[in-house]
Amino acid sequence: DGVSRITTDPKAAAADFFTAAQRAPRVSVAWRNAAIASWLAADTARAVVGWQRVLRTDPLNSEARSQLRAIGIAGHVARSEVWPVPTTFL
């Protein structure tokens, strides 16, 4: 709607950041903001999704990788693991 608003509700902020990230899916900072807002809203699942999307757009992002490691996600080998390969390698 083009109207700027400020919210102090973490869940509303997380939803807004996820909407913005989905509109710009290749912008890692948008996913970073969505992840952090989700974490502050106590939504660990969405925070993990956000940080994994950060790594998919910026595979060498150490902040996102350390956040996932702190939660206990990055140490597991799974289909969802994001390997630290620079995008220029491809």
Side-chain angles (χ1 to χ4, degrees):
D1 61 2
V3 176
S4 176
R5 60 188 160 85
I6 297 174
T7 182
T8 57
D9 176 20
K11 289 183 181 184
D16 288 346
F17 278 123
F18 259 92
T19 298
Q22 290 168 342
R23 290 181 180 167
R26 295 180 185 218
V27 179
S28 66
V29 72
W31 290 108
R32 176 186 174 273
N33 290 339
I36 292 170
S38 296
W39 183 255
L40 293 174
D43 189 344
T44 305
R46 290 188 87 185
V48 167
V49 168
W51 282 314
Q52 285 182 336
R53 291 299 299 261
V54 169
L55 291 176
R56 294 191 192 301
T57 56
D58 180 10
L60 301 180
N61 187 302
S62 61
E63 178 187 352
R65 198 165 297 280
S66 78
Q67 291 293 347
L68 290 171
R69 192 174 298 112
I71 296 171
I73 302 297
H76 302 289
V77 176
R79 291 182 190 173
S80 61
E81 185 170 357
V82 181
W83 296 94
V85 177
T87 55
T88 55
F89 176 76
L90 302 174

